[in-house]
Amino acid sequence: MYEATQKISKEHREFLKKVKRKEIAIKITQISLLIAFFALWEIAGRLKLIDPFLFSQPSRMIKTIINLSKDGSLFTHIWVTLSETLIGFALGTFSGIVIAVLLWWSDFASKVAEPYLIVLNSLPKIALGPIFIVWMGNGEAPIITMGLAISLIVTIISLETGFKQVDEDKIKLLKTFGATKFQILTKCILPASIPTIMSAIKINMGLSWVGVITGEFLVSKAGLGYLIVYGGQVFKLDIVMTSVLILSILAALMYVLLVYIEKKIIKWQ
Amino acid sequence: MRKVMVELSNISLNYHTIKGETEAIKDVSFDVCEGEFVGVIGPSGCGKSTLLSIIAGLLKPSNGSVRVNGKVGYMLQKDHLFEWRNIMQNVLLGLEIQNTVNENSIKNIEDLLERYGLSDFKYHYPNQISGGMRQRAALIRTLALKPDIMLLDEAFSALDYQTRLAISDEVWTILKNVKKTAVIVTHDISEAIAMCDRIVVLSKRPAVVKNIYEIHLTCDLRSPIGCRKAPEFKEYFNEIWKELDVHV
Ligand SMILES: Nc1ncnc2c1ncn2[C@@H]1O[C@H](COP(=O)(O)OP(=O)(O)OP(=O)(O)O)[C@@H](O)[C@H]1O
Ligand SMILES: [Mg+2]
């Protein structure tokens, strides 16, 4: 796989062009589908094929966004949900990594923890929501805890598995150099697990959104989850639809950002 | 009498698992002298890697005594370059572990990379260079620690045949030039005859020494590829083949 410096042949140029054309076609189709979806939604609403009161409508959603932006409350809601998600995600991922490292370090602890992890993993964490609320009050704490709890156990389990899959011979190699256990961890186990960690991070991001929104459904005074529940209760579907749309855009942006960071970190692939 | 670098006397080793006890090595004794290349050959699973681990100090024998005079460098079957480190970072690994990265050691590594044709690939990642180059990088990583005794555990078996011949010739020449001592484990009888001054043939597991062959080849150029034409080559091959008693 040396750098190919020879001139590109005509045949190869044709091939590249074909690949490029296909890529462009895919992109155009994707964007058209999106535009068509919103256009049809709008038209169906205007022609009263669907009831805008129940289904909302792109134009009404734009109006809602403008209205909610006027007093700045939209940004407060977005910020509340975003910050809760990021904090819950960061705490869940970080403590997950730390615990996985500890379990890697002590085989005894790992064996002891195994059945508990299995049970906790199969428990739907949402069920713990009311308990968190009772314990922590109705502020942001129980919501952040939901965002944390939902990603913690999967992180521990997937990282511990990842750590164990690192090639034994790589560790043997380090031992021939006289490496300590700590050096084996930092020079080999952790860097070798970066792809595993990155994929856990991507999954956790998604899970933390779920945890936080559910938390906000249960108890909250602000946030997109609050807006959705509030809009539903007062039958303002415009607010609900708008919040869902904003939520999906935020989640997608976050994912794109993570993929970008992943590419920057894993530069050897 | 040459200085003895490795002295194994009546080594035995048992592995213990829940399923039971595996007697890997039963009674192995042999010496390796300074500058000597000793081949270890035997059926698969007979305990060759275990033997090297004992010499390297990674495993303690259940019985018997090991004496090793000097620093040991280990080369495993695969190159095990870390894919997240570039070649330079990879060859520095052992020094980093031992906290001996300094101007001198870096200078030494730069020299080695230069001498073995890798200096243009210092900042490449392992997956960007060929198998032969990777093996050379792995050799430099080991040589960087200035070992006196090299342990090669089927170090070339992951390479394709042509590369394998070329690289084993190259590694042999490098190691002979710097006057290292080597213990070479291989499955390949020809490779063992071509590279070694002495060959220890082990039995099936639990390993005992079946025979030790002194290799004397008459050839102008004593290098693994050069000496394959020696008239004695075939005789050694046939004898060792018979000794191994392979049934399929
Ligand atoms: N950690 C271990 N625990 C238990 N048994 C082991 C362990 N390592 C090796 N063994 C067993 O000990 C025997 C010798 O193993 P070893 O790897 O030394 O053989 P080998 O001669 O190097 O084999 P190969 O030719 O396949 O490389 C084998 O039967 C193997 O199954
Ligand atoms: Mg082996």
Side-chain angles (χ1 to χ4, degrees):
Chain A
M1 269 179 277
Y2 308 104
E3 308 291 290
T5 43
Q6 87 264 40
K7 262 175 69 185
I8 297 170
S9 74
K10 189 161 171 261
E11 195 181 343
H12 191 63
R13 213 167 23 232
E14 284 297 317
F15 169 79
L16 289 179
K17 239 191 228 159
K18 226 160 113 189
V19 172
K20 192 94 205 149
R21 263 203 298 269
K22 192 170 170 194
E23 265 173 33
I24 293 173
I26 290 172
K27 274 272 167 321
I28 289 177
T29 315
Q30 285 171 334
I31 295 169
S32 314
L33 269 176
L34 195 69
I35 294 173
F37 175 75
F38 282 104
L40 278 177
W41 190 359
E42 181 68 32
I43 293 166
R46 296 254 162 117
L47 298 178
K48 301 282 180 238
L49 294 175
I50 53 171
D51 183 356
F53 183 69
L54 289 181
F55 288 89
S56 189
Q57 214 174 355
S59 59
R60 293 170 70 131
M61 284 157 72
I62 292 169
K63 256 183 237 148
T64 313
I65 290 179
I66 293 170
N67 283 338
L68 285 172
S69 318
K70 269 184 196 144
D71 58 353
S73 64
L74 182 64
F75 303 109
T76 317
H77 290 301
I78 292 178
W79 173 244
V80 166
T81 300
L82 187 62
S83 59
E84 285 166 349
T85 307
L86 287 178
I87 295 172
F89 157 78
L91 289 177
T93 307
F94 181 74
S95 36
I97 295 175
V98 170
I99 294 172
V101 166
L102 293 177
L103 294 181
W104 172 81
W105 193 279
S106 161
D107 188 52
F108 184 78
S110 161
K111 292 267 157 60
V112 171
E114 199 182 308
Y116 298 103
L117 284 176
I118 291 171
V119 171
L120 285 175
N121 188 42
S122 33
L123 173 82
K125 261 63 70 180
I126 315 290
L128 299 174
I131 304 175
F132 293 149
I133 293 165
V134 171
W135 286 348
M136 300 175 204
N138 54 2
E140 289 189 4
I143 300 174
I144 293 174
T145 310
M146 288 282 283
L148 181 161
I150 204 167
S151 57
L152 182 65
I153 308 294
V154 254
T155 310
I156 298 173
I157 291 177
S158 64
L159 288 194
E160 211 199 340
T161 318
F163 291 169
K164 281 190 183 140
Q165 276 163 358
V166 175
D167 196 333
E168 271 303 318
D169 274 349
K170 280 203 167 85
I171 298 169
K172 183 173 179 182
L173 175 80
L174 289 180
K175 284 187 180 158
T176 67
F177 296 146
T180 60
K181 194 158 189 182
F182 185 72
Q183 283 175 321
I184 291 174
L185 177 72
T186 54
K187 302 274 182 215
C188 180
I189 301 291
L190 287 178
S193 305
I194 285 176
T196 318
I197 293 175
M198 279 316 298
S199 87
I201 281 178
K202 278 191 280 184
I203 293 167
N204 286 353
M205 195 69 230
L207 288 175
S208 291
W209 286 110
V210 176
V212 163
I213 294 296
T214 329
E216 287 183 349
F217 282 178
L218 294 174
V219 54
S220 65
K221 300 182 210 70
L224 293 169
Y226 162 81
L227 270 189
I228 292 171
V229 169
Y230 165 79
Q233 283 165 349
V234 298
F235 253 77
K236 282 197 176 154
L237 269 297
D238 292 340
I239 293 184
V240 177
M241 292 295 190
T242 308
S243 308
V244 171
L245 183 71
I246 293 173
L247 194 57
S248 51
I249 292 171
L250 281 181
L253 284 179
M254 220 39 117
Y255 189 82
V256 171
L257 182 71
L258 286 179
V259 172
Y260 175 78
I261 294 173
E262 182 179 25
K263 277 222 180 91
K264 284 274 139 178
I265 295 178
I266 309 183
K267 50 183 180 291
W268 62 86
Q269 278 181 345
Chain B
M1 190 63 202
R2 279 195 292 179
K3 191 173 152 199
V4 176
M5 299 298 280
V6 180
E7 195 181 332
L8 301 175
S9 343
N10 308 99
I11 298 287
S12 69
L13 187 134
N14 308 321
Y15 283 110
H16 298 273
T17 57
I18 309 236
K19 290 212 186 88
E21 194 174 12
T22 311
E23 205 179 2
I25 297 175
K26 193 167 171 186
D27 179 22
V28 170
S29 311
F30 64 89
D31 295 345
V32 184
C33 295
E34 191 172 22
E36 196 182 22
F37 282 24
V38 171
V40 176
I41 202 162
S44 26
C46 77
K48 304 181 291 295
S49 300
T50 307
L51 198 63
L52 289 194
S53 290
I54 290 173
I55 298 175
L58 299 176
L59 288 175
K60 261 203 150 33
S62 307
N63 271 304
S65 76
V66 200
R67 285 228 339 259
V68 178
N69 262 323
K71 247 178 122 175
V72 170
Y74 209 133
M75 280 185 75
L76 300 159
Q77 181 170 11
K78 286 196 277 169
D79 53 64
H80 290 296
L81 295 175
F82 289 1
E83 60 268 29
W84 57 90
R85 288 173 162 243
N86 64 32
I87 297 307
M88 188 66 190
Q89 293 166 331
N90 260 297
V91 295
L92 276 169
L93 184 65
L95 296 168
E96 259 176 49
I97 298 281
Q98 301 181 356
N99 275 319
T100 49
V101 182
N102 55 40
E103 257 172 58
N104 272 336
S105 58
I106 290 180
K107 174 82 180 46
N108 177 39
I109 281 186
E110 300 269 2
D111 285 349
L112 289 169
L113 288 170
E114 179 71 47
R115 193 153 1 127
Y116 306 134
L118 280 173
S119 51
D120 291 341
F121 299 92
K122 267 192 280 195
Y123 304 114
H124 281 60
Y125 283 91
N127 64 3
Q128 295 171 310
I129 64 174
S130 67
M133 290 170 121
R134 293 176 60 125
Q135 204 60 35
R136 255 181 274 160
L139 176 66
I140 295 173
R141 180 181 59 195
T142 316
L143 289 179
L145 297 170
K146 307 209 163 126
D148 310 297
I149 306 151
M150 291 290 284
L151 309 178
L152 277 65
D153 193 353
E154 292 174 46
F156 313 112
S157 62
L159 300 170
D160 64 80
Y161 188 67
Q162 272 105 329
T163 314
R164 178 175 182 153
L165 283 182
I167 285 286
S168 56
D169 197 69
E170 216 176 294
V171 168
W172 184 90
T173 312
I174 291 167
L175 294 180
K176 276 287 177 197
N177 279 338
V178 289
K179 302 201 164 46
K180 300 274 185 229
T181 306
V183 180
I184 301 172
V185 163
T186 174
H187 266 123
D188 184 333
I189 303 174
S190 313
E191 189 172 274
I193 301 169
M195 291 184 83
C196 301
D197 306 309
R198 218 144 44 97
I199 296 177
V200 177
V201 180
L202 298 178
S203 69
K204 286 204 296 278
R205 187 176 64 77
V208 296
V209 177
K210 268 187 122 173
N211 214 334
I212 298 184
Y213 291 88
E214 297 272 348
I215 307 294
H216 297 287
L217 297 169
T218 39
C219 50
D220 314 329
L221 184 66
R222 182 61 175 102
S223 80
I225 291 179
C227 71
R228 282 184 190 239
K229 291 190 251 6
E232 303 88 348
F233 201 92
K234 229 183 178 160
E235 288 161 34
Y236 284 125
F237 188 98
N238 288 335
E239 260 184 80
I240 295 174
W241 172 253
K242 254 185 252 147
E243 189 78 60
L244 279 173
D245 194 21
V246 182
H247 298 288
V248 275

